[in-house]
Amino acid sequence: MNFVKNVGYLLIAVFGVIDVINGAISLGNVQAFLQYSNQFSQPLTQLANMSSTIQQTIASAERIFAVLDAEDMDETVNPA
């Protein structure tokens, strides 16, 4: 998710600098776009974190049930 956010920053910075050089917008507008992109990426980051937590919980439950379903080990000692 950080990669997507960094790519978004990069695109805003590149297009923002091009527009500043052409005189279409000011540098303050580019800074505002960067702040807005951070606000809009927060819900996506939260969704990614929730899905990761759910995936980890399911994986842990699968491991626990695999251990619980395993056959009991024989406690007899085999002479060597």
Side-chain angles (χ1 to χ4, degrees), residues 2-74:
N2 285 333
F3 175 75
V4 173
K5 187 163 59 169
N6 290 339
V7 169
Y9 282 149
L10 179 66
L11 290 174
I12 292 171
V14 168
F15 289 121
V17 167
I18 292 171
D19 284 342
V20 168
I21 291 172
N22 291 334
I25 61 173
S26 68
L27 192 57
N29 289 340
V30 176
Q31 183 180 6
F33 283 133
L34 287 172
Q35 290 174 352
Y36 289 142
S37 70
N38 189 21
Q39 282 182 333
F40 293 134
S41 68
Q42 284 177 355
L44 296 176
T45 304
Q46 290 174 354
L47 284 175
N49 289 337
M50 285 191 314
S51 65
S52 175
T53 302
I54 290 170
Q55 178 191 13
Q56 291 172 1
T57 303
I58 291 171
S60 297
E62 287 176 350
R63 287 192 295 269
I64 289 170
F65 288 123
V67 169
L68 291 176
D69 290 341
E71 293 183 20
D72 290 336
M73 295 180 64
D74 190 12

